[in-house]
Amino acid sequence: MEPLAAKIRPQHLDEFIGQPHLVGKGKPLRVATENGHMFSCIFWGPPGVGKTTLAKIYANGLSAILYELSAVSAKKSDITKIVTAEEEKQKVVFLDEIHRFNKAQQDYLLPFVESGEIVLIGATTENPSFEVISALLSRCRVFVLCEHTDEDMKKIVDRTGFLLENDAKEWVVQMAKGDARQAITLLEQTQELYGSITITTLKDALQSTHLRYDKKGEEHYNTISAFIKSMRASQPDAAVYYLARMLEAGEDPKFIARRMVVFASEDIGLAQPTALVVANDVFRAVETIGLPECAINLSHGVAYLSQCKKDRSSYNALRSAQTDVKKYGNLQIPLKLRNPQTKLMEDIGYGKGYTQYTKESYLPEKLQKKRYFDG
Ligand code: ADP
């Protein structure tokens, strides 16, 4: 069954709540929709503020045909299918989470956007100046959508048609933190579960839905943890298995690559310093190649990191040094290590007795005997 949030999605600008800087009288998206003026654009804003909704209204107003894709799962062939399709109407491609497209995929889109064959509407929660290639960015207008205000959220709650007391409405608005989909979904689930919407039933519903979210989150953390532990135990077979599982579950390959870069220093460190170089290059490859092929780069990195000798001394040293910093605060830095910037400082003894190569400890007085690196 279609979720309520989709069912009550505004079909016209007049039903669209908030974002007056974009859809208010005389504002760019209102004018563009009214005049049938078409251009590619990127909607940048947090989840549930109406990026998808606005894209649909815009495409509708243009009497264009709208293709909806998510960059998480879309492939080059999906774009090819769209551009080769016989179609009289203007093609508008809504690409959700455009930041998940890699450079090669974005490059592929470019000529079609440039020629006007497709009008691209990208949606992203991430800063497009970092995540969208500049050639594409320069052909799109970027519109920033803001989190819904409390007032607007109340209007969105009213659109659900559920009757609820003011205190319950207030509570939902606070919980949803400007995300309309969250608010609508919570109301729908509460009504379904308990048949009425009060603060108590809302809280109960939220708890049970949170548990469900947590489970999803837990699975994610379990898999990444199993992945790291397998590489740590030098078990490439197990590591590549968990890698495959994460990819299958739709994990962002950049997230996996980032963990590998950290692993190279945390678990391998001085035992094989090139591990960091390899991990960094895997990360770069993932960035430029993207899925599905970058899975091979990841697997290559996993095989290498799993088989390297392990040494956690850099990590352990950092942790115990951090513990001491917290425990002792700013201990006096030995005078001889200080920089005598003025005559007065020199007179007090700054820099006095400093010799470059010495076995004498340069740690603060209290920690003289401390060794963070073992051996
Ligand atoms: P986004 O794409 O920004 O994550 P959506 O446009 O999919 O968000 O919004 C999710 C749901 O929230 C919509 O289906 C709609 O019911 C509701 N919604 C979001 N923004 C608005 C808005 N400005 N006015 C009315 N309803 C909205």
Coordinates of all heavy atoms in Angstrom, one line a residue, residues 310-374:
K310 N 50.6 -7.0 11.1 CA 49.8 -6.1 11.9 C 50.6 -5.4 13.0 O 51.5 -6.1 13.6 CB 48.6 -6.7 12.5 CG 47.7 -7.5 11.4 CD 47.1 -6.6 10.4 CE 46.1 -7.2 9.5 NZ 46.6 -8.2 8.6
D311 N 50.4 -4.1 13.2 CA 51.0 -3.4 14.3 C 50.1 -2.3 14.8 O 49.8 -1.4 14.0 CB 52.4 -2.9 13.8 CG 53.0 -1.9 14.9 OD1 52.6 -2.0 16.1 OD2 53.8 -1.0 14.4
R312 N 49.6 -2.4 16.0 CA 48.7 -1.3 16.5 C 49.4 -0.3 17.3 O 48.7 0.4 18.1 CB 47.5 -2.0 17.2 CG 46.5 -2.7 16.3 CD 45.5 -3.5 17.1 NE 44.7 -2.7 18.0 CZ 43.6 -2.1 17.6 NH1 43.2 -2.1 16.3 NH2 42.8 -1.4 18.5
S313 N 50.7 -0.2 17.3 CA 51.4 0.6 18.2 C 51.1 2.1 18.0 O 50.9 2.9 19.0 CB 52.9 0.4 18.3 OG 53.4 0.6 17.0
S314 N 50.9 2.6 16.8 CA 50.6 4.0 16.6 C 49.2 4.3 17.2 O 49.0 5.3 17.9 CB 50.5 4.3 15.1 OG 51.6 3.9 14.4
Y315 N 48.3 3.4 17.0 CA 46.9 3.6 17.6 C 47.0 3.6 19.1 O 46.4 4.5 19.8 CB 46.0 2.5 17.1 CG 44.6 2.5 17.7 CD1 43.7 3.4 17.2 CD2 44.3 1.7 18.8 CE1 42.4 3.5 17.8 CE2 43.1 1.7 19.3 CZ 42.1 2.6 18.9 OH 40.9 2.7 19.4
N316 N 47.6 2.6 19.7 CA 47.7 2.4 21.1 C 48.4 3.6 21.8 O 47.9 4.1 22.8 CB 48.4 1.2 21.5 CG 47.6 -0.1 21.2 OD1 46.4 0.0 21.0 ND2 48.2 -1.2 21.0
A317 N 49.5 4.1 21.1 CA 50.2 5.2 21.7 C 49.4 6.4 21.7 O 49.3 7.2 22.7 CB 51.5 5.5 20.8
L318 N 48.6 6.7 20.6 CA 47.8 7.8 20.6 C 46.7 7.8 21.7 O 46.5 8.8 22.4 CB 47.1 7.9 19.2 CG 46.0 9.0 19.1 CD1 46.7 10.4 19.0 CD2 45.2 8.8 17.8
R319 N 46.1 6.6 21.8 CA 45.0 6.5 22.8 C 45.6 6.8 24.2 O 45.0 7.5 25.0 CB 44.4 5.1 22.8 CG 43.5 4.9 21.7 CD 42.1 5.6 22.0 NE 41.2 5.5 20.8 CZ 41.0 6.5 19.9 NH1 41.7 7.6 20.0 NH2 40.2 6.3 19.0
S320 N 46.8 6.2 24.6 CA 47.2 6.5 26.0 C 47.7 7.9 26.1 O 47.6 8.5 27.2 CB 48.2 5.4 26.5 OG 49.2 5.2 25.5
A321 N 48.3 8.5 25.1 CA 48.7 9.9 25.2 C 47.4 10.8 25.4 O 47.4 11.7 26.2 CB 49.4 10.3 23.9
Q322 N 46.4 10.4 24.7 CA 45.1 11.2 24.8 C 44.6 11.1 26.2 O 44.1 12.0 26.8 CB 44.1 10.7 23.8 CG 44.4 11.2 22.4 CD 43.4 10.6 21.4 OE1 43.0 9.5 21.4 NE2 43.1 11.4 20.3
T323 N 44.7 9.8 26.8 CA 44.2 9.6 28.2 C 45.0 10.5 29.1 O 44.4 11.2 30.0 CB 44.4 8.2 28.6 OG1 43.8 7.4 27.6 CG2 43.8 7.9 29.9
D324 N 46.3 10.6 28.9 CA 47.1 11.5 29.8 C 46.8 13.0 29.6 O 46.8 13.7 30.6 CB 48.6 11.2 29.5 CG 49.1 10.0 30.2 OD1 48.3 9.4 31.0 OD2 50.2 9.5 30.0
V325 N 46.5 13.4 28.4 CA 46.2 14.8 28.1 C 44.9 15.1 28.9 O 44.8 16.2 29.5 CB 46.0 15.0 26.6 CG1 45.4 16.4 26.4 CG2 47.4 14.9 25.9
K326 N 44.0 14.2 28.8 CA 42.7 14.4 29.5 C 42.9 14.4 31.1 O 42.4 15.3 31.8 CB 41.7 13.3 29.2 CG 41.1 13.5 27.9 CD 39.6 13.2 27.9 CE 39.0 13.3 26.5 NZ 39.4 12.2 25.6
K327 N 43.7 13.5 31.5 CA 43.9 13.3 32.9 C 44.7 14.4 33.6 O 44.4 14.9 34.6 CB 44.7 12.0 33.1 CG 44.9 11.5 34.5 CD 45.2 10.0 34.5 CE 46.0 9.6 35.7 NZ 46.7 8.3 35.5
Y328 N 45.8 14.9 32.9 CA 46.7 15.8 33.5 C 46.5 17.3 33.0 O 47.1 18.2 33.5 CB 48.1 15.4 33.3 CG 48.5 14.1 33.9 CD1 48.8 13.0 33.1 CD2 48.5 14.0 35.3 CE1 49.1 11.8 33.7 CE2 48.8 12.7 35.9 CZ 49.1 11.6 35.1 OH 49.4 10.4 35.6
G329 N 45.6 17.4 32.0 CA 45.4 18.8 31.5 C 46.7 19.3 30.8 O 47.6 18.5 30.4
N330 N 46.9 20.6 30.8 CA 48.0 21.2 30.1 C 49.2 21.2 31.1 O 49.5 22.2 31.8 CB 47.8 22.6 29.7 CG 46.9 22.6 28.4 OD1 46.8 21.6 27.7 ND2 46.3 23.7 28.1
L331 N 50.0 20.1 31.1 CA 51.2 20.1 31.9 C 52.2 21.1 31.3 O 52.3 21.3 30.1 CB 51.8 18.7 31.9 CG 51.0 17.6 32.6 CD1 51.6 16.2 32.4 CD2 50.9 17.9 34.1
Q332 N 53.1 21.6 32.2 CA 54.1 22.6 31.8 C 55.0 22.0 30.7 O 55.5 20.8 30.9 CB 55.0 22.9 33.0 CG 54.4 23.8 34.0 CD 55.2 25.1 33.9 OE1 56.3 25.2 33.3 NE2 54.7 26.2 34.6
I333 N 55.2 22.7 29.7 CA 56.2 22.2 28.6 C 57.6 22.6 29.1 O 57.8 23.7 29.6 CB 55.9 22.9 27.3 CG1 54.5 22.4 26.8 CG2 57.0 22.7 26.3 CD1 54.0 23.0 25.6
P334 N 58.5 21.6 29.1 CA 59.8 21.9 29.7 C 60.4 23.2 29.1 O 60.3 23.5 27.9 CB 60.7 20.7 29.2 CG 59.7 19.6 29.0 CD 58.4 20.3 28.6
L335 N 61.0 24.1 29.9 CA 61.5 25.4 29.5 C 62.4 25.3 28.3 O 62.3 26.1 27.4 CB 62.2 26.1 30.6 CG 61.3 26.8 31.7 CD1 62.2 27.4 32.8 CD2 60.5 27.8 31.0
K336 N 63.2 24.3 28.3 CA 64.3 24.2 27.3 C 63.7 24.0 25.9 O 64.3 24.2 24.9 CB 65.3 23.2 27.6 CG 64.9 21.8 27.7 CD 66.1 20.9 27.9 CE 65.7 19.6 28.6 NZ 66.1 19.4 30.0
L337 N 62.4 23.4 25.9 CA 61.8 23.2 24.6 C 61.0 24.4 24.0 O 60.5 24.4 22.9 CB 60.8 22.0 24.6 CG 61.4 20.7 24.9 CD1 60.4 19.6 24.9 CD2 62.5 20.3 23.9
R338 N 60.9 25.4 24.9 CA 60.1 26.6 24.5 C 60.9 27.5 23.6 O 62.1 27.6 23.7 CB 59.6 27.3 25.7 CG 58.8 26.5 26.6 CD 58.1 27.3 27.6 NE 57.6 26.5 28.7 CZ 56.9 27.0 29.7 NH1 56.6 28.3 29.7 NH2 56.4 26.2 30.6
N339 N 60.2 28.3 22.8 CA 60.8 29.1 21.9 C 61.1 30.5 22.5 O 60.1 31.2 22.9 CB 59.9 29.3 20.7 CG 60.6 29.6 19.4 OD1 61.8 29.6 19.4 ND2 59.9 29.9 18.4
P340 N 62.3 30.9 22.7 CA 62.6 32.2 23.3 C 62.4 33.3 22.3 O 63.3 33.8 21.7 CB 64.1 32.1 23.7 CG 64.6 31.1 22.8 CD 63.6 30.2 22.3
Q341 N 61.1 33.8 22.2 CA 60.8 34.8 21.2 C 61.3 36.2 21.6 O 61.5 37.1 20.8 CB 59.3 34.8 21.0 CG 58.9 33.7 20.0 CD 57.4 33.5 20.0 OE1 56.7 34.2 20.8 NE2 56.9 32.7 19.1
T342 N 61.4 36.5 22.9 CA 61.8 37.8 23.4 C 63.0 37.6 24.3 O 63.2 36.5 24.8 CB 60.7 38.5 24.2 OG1 60.4 37.8 25.3 CG2 59.4 38.6 23.3
K343 N 63.6 38.7 24.6 CA 64.7 38.7 25.5 C 64.3 38.2 26.9 O 64.9 37.4 27.6 CB 65.3 40.2 25.6 CG 66.4 40.3 26.6 CD 67.8 40.0 25.9 CE 69.0 40.3 26.8 NZ 69.0 39.6 28.0
L344 N 63.1 38.7 27.3 CA 62.6 38.4 28.6 C 62.4 36.9 28.7 O 62.8 36.2 29.7 CB 61.2 39.1 28.9 CG 60.5 38.6 30.2 CD1 61.3 39.2 31.4 CD2 59.1 39.1 30.2
M345 N 61.9 36.3 27.7 CA 61.7 34.8 27.7 C 63.0 34.1 27.8 O 63.1 33.1 28.5 CB 61.0 34.4 26.4 CG 59.5 34.8 26.4 SD 58.9 34.7 24.7 CE 57.3 34.2 24.9
E346 N 64.0 34.6 27.1 CA 65.3 34.0 27.2 C 65.8 34.1 28.6 O 66.4 33.1 29.1 CB 66.2 34.7 26.2 CG 67.4 33.9 25.8 CD 68.2 34.6 24.7 OE1 67.7 35.3 23.9 OE2 69.5 34.4 24.8
D347 N 65.6 35.3 29.3 CA 66.1 35.5 30.6 C 65.4 34.5 31.6 O 66.0 34.0 32.5 CB 65.8 36.9 31.1 CG 66.7 37.9 30.4 OD1 67.7 37.4 29.7 OD2 66.4 39.1 30.4
I348 N 64.2 34.2 31.3 CA 63.5 33.3 32.2 C 64.0 31.8 32.0 O 63.7 30.9 32.8 CB 62.0 33.3 32.0 CG1 61.4 34.7 32.0 CG2 61.2 32.5 33.0 CD1 60.0 34.8 31.6
G349 N 64.6 31.6 30.9 CA 65.2 30.2 30.7 C 64.6 29.5 29.5 O 64.9 28.3 29.3
Y350 N 63.7 30.2 28.7 CA 63.2 29.6 27.6 C 64.3 29.1 26.6 O 65.2 29.9 26.3 CB 62.3 30.6 26.8 CG 60.9 30.7 27.3 CD1 60.6 30.6 28.6 CD2 59.8 30.9 26.4 CE1 59.3 30.7 29.1 CE2 58.5 31.0 26.9 CZ 58.3 30.9 28.2 OH 57.0 31.0 28.7
G351 N 64.3 27.9 26.2 CA 65.2 27.4 25.2 C 66.6 27.1 25.8 O 67.5 26.6 25.1
K352 N 66.8 27.3 27.1 CA 68.1 27.2 27.7 C 68.4 25.7 27.9 O 67.6 24.9 28.4 CB 68.1 27.8 29.1 CG 69.5 28.0 29.6 CD 69.5 29.0 30.7 CE 70.9 29.0 31.4 NZ 70.7 29.1 32.8
G353 N 69.6 25.3 27.4 CA 70.0 23.9 27.6 C 69.5 23.0 26.5 O 69.6 21.8 26.6
Y354 N 68.8 23.6 25.5 CA 68.2 22.7 24.5 C 69.3 22.2 23.6 O 70.2 22.9 23.1 CB 67.2 23.5 23.7 CG 66.8 22.9 22.4 CD1 66.0 21.7 22.4 CD2 67.3 23.3 21.2 CE1 65.7 21.1 21.2 CE2 67.0 22.7 20.0 CZ 66.1 21.6 20.0 OH 65.8 21.0 18.9
T355 N 69.4 20.9 23.4 CA 70.3 20.3 22.5 C 69.5 19.4 21.5 O 68.5 18.8 22.0 CB 71.4 19.4 23.2 OG1 70.7 18.6 24.2 CG2 72.5 20.2 23.8
Q356 N 69.9 19.4 20.3 CA 69.0 18.7 19.3 C 68.9 17.2 19.5 O 67.8 16.7 19.5 CB 69.5 19.0 17.9 CG 69.1 20.4 17.4 CD 69.8 20.7 16.1 OE1 71.0 20.5 16.0 NE2 69.0 21.3 15.2
Y357 N 70.0 16.6 19.7 CA 70.0 15.1 19.8 C 70.3 14.7 21.2 O 71.5 14.8 21.6 CB 71.0 14.6 18.7 CG 70.7 15.1 17.4 CD1 71.6 16.0 16.8 CD2 69.6 14.8 16.7 CE1 71.4 16.6 15.5 CE2 69.3 15.3 15.4 CZ 70.2 16.2 14.8 OH 69.9 16.7 13.6
T358 N 69.4 14.3 21.9 CA 69.6 13.9 23.2 C 68.7 12.7 23.6 O 67.6 12.5 23.0 CB 69.3 15.1 24.2 OG1 69.5 14.6 25.5 CG2 67.9 15.6 24.0
K359 N 69.1 12.0 24.6 CA 68.3 10.8 25.0 C 67.4 11.3 26.2 O 66.5 10.5 26.6 CB 69.3 9.7 25.5 CG 70.0 9.0 24.4 CD 70.1 7.5 24.7 CE 70.3 6.6 23.5 NZ 71.0 7.0 22.4
E360 N 67.7 12.4 26.7 CA 67.0 13.0 27.8 C 65.5 13.2 27.4 O 65.2 13.7 26.3 CB 67.6 14.3 28.1 CG 67.1 15.1 29.2 CD 67.8 16.5 29.2 OE1 68.8 16.7 28.4 OE2 67.4 17.3 29.9
S361 N 64.5 12.8 28.2 CA 63.1 12.9 27.8 C 62.6 14.3 27.6 O 62.9 15.2 28.5 CB 62.2 12.2 28.9 OG 60.9 12.4 28.5
Y362 N 61.9 14.6 26.6 CA 61.3 15.9 26.3 C 59.9 15.9 26.8 O 59.2 16.9 26.5 CB 61.4 16.2 24.8 CG 62.7 16.7 24.4 CD1 63.0 16.8 23.0 CD2 63.6 17.2 25.3 CE1 64.2 17.3 22.6 CE2 64.8 17.7 24.9 CZ 65.2 17.8 23.5 OH 66.3 18.3 23.1
L363 N 59.4 14.9 27.4 CA 58.0 14.9 27.9 C 58.0 15.9 29.1 O 59.0 16.2 29.8 CB 57.6 13.5 28.4 CG 57.2 12.6 27.3 CD1 57.3 11.1 27.8 CD2 55.8 12.9 26.9
P364 N 56.8 16.4 29.4 CA 56.6 17.2 30.6 C 57.1 16.4 31.9 O 57.1 15.2 31.9 CB 55.1 17.4 30.7 CG 54.6 17.3 29.3 CD 55.5 16.2 28.7
E365 N 57.6 17.2 32.8 CA 58.2 16.7 34.1 C 57.4 15.4 34.6 O 58.0 14.4 34.9 CB 58.1 17.8 35.1 CG 58.7 17.5 36.5 CD 60.2 17.7 36.4 OE1 60.6 18.8 35.8 OE2 61.0 16.9 37.0
K366 N 56.1 15.6 34.8 CA 55.3 14.5 35.4 C 55.3 13.2 34.6 O 55.1 12.1 35.1 CB 53.9 15.0 35.5 CG 53.1 14.5 36.7 CD 51.8 15.1 36.7 CE 51.0 14.5 37.9 NZ 51.4 15.0 39.2
L367 N 55.6 13.3 33.3 CA 55.5 12.1 32.5 C 56.8 11.6 32.0 O 56.9 10.8 31.0 CB 54.6 12.4 31.2 CG 53.1 12.9 31.6 CD1 52.4 13.4 30.3 CD2 52.3 11.8 32.2
Q368 N 57.9 12.1 32.6 CA 59.2 11.8 32.2 C 59.5 10.3 31.8 O 60.1 10.0 30.8 CB 60.3 12.2 33.3 CG 60.5 13.7 33.4 CD 61.4 14.2 32.3 OE1 62.5 13.8 32.1 NE2 60.9 15.2 31.6
K369 N 58.9 9.4 32.6 CA 59.2 8.0 32.4 C 58.2 7.3 31.5 O 58.3 6.1 31.2 CB 59.2 7.3 33.8 CG 60.3 7.8 34.7 CD 61.0 6.6 35.3 CE 62.4 6.9 35.8 NZ 62.8 8.3 36.1
K370 N 57.3 8.1 31.0 CA 56.2 7.5 30.2 C 56.7 7.0 28.9 O 57.4 7.7 28.2 CB 55.1 8.6 30.0 CG 53.8 8.0 29.6 CD 53.1 7.4 30.8 CE 51.9 6.7 30.3 NZ 50.8 6.7 31.3
R371 N 56.2 5.8 28.4 CA 56.5 5.4 27.1 C 55.2 5.0 26.4 O 54.5 4.1 26.9 CB 57.4 4.1 27.1 CG 58.8 4.4 27.6 CD 59.6 5.4 26.7 NE 60.8 5.8 27.3 CZ 61.0 7.0 28.0 NH1 59.9 7.8 28.1 NH2 62.1 7.3 28.5
Y372 N 54.8 5.7 25.4 CA 53.6 5.4 24.7 C 53.8 4.4 23.7 O 52.9 3.6 23.4 CB 53.0 6.7 24.1 CG 52.6 7.7 25.1 CD1 53.4 8.9 25.3 CD2 51.6 7.5 26.0 CE1 53.0 9.9 26.2 CE2 51.2 8.4 26.9 CZ 51.9 9.6 27.1 OH 51.6 10.5 28.0
F373 N 54.9 4.4 23.0 CA 55.2 3.3 22.1 C 55.9 2.2 22.8 O 57.0 2.5 23.4 CB 56.1 3.9 20.9 CG 55.3 4.7 20.0 CD1 55.3 6.1 20.1 CD2 54.6 4.2 18.9 CE1 54.5 6.9 19.3 CE2 53.9 5.0 18.0 CZ 53.8 6.3 18.2
D374 N 55.4 1.0 22.7 CA 56.1 -0.1 23.4 C 57.4 -0.5 22.6 O 57.5 -0.3 21.4 CB 55.2 -1.3 23.6 CG 54.1 -1.3 22.6 OD1 54.3 -1.8 21.5 OD2 53.0 -0.9 23.0

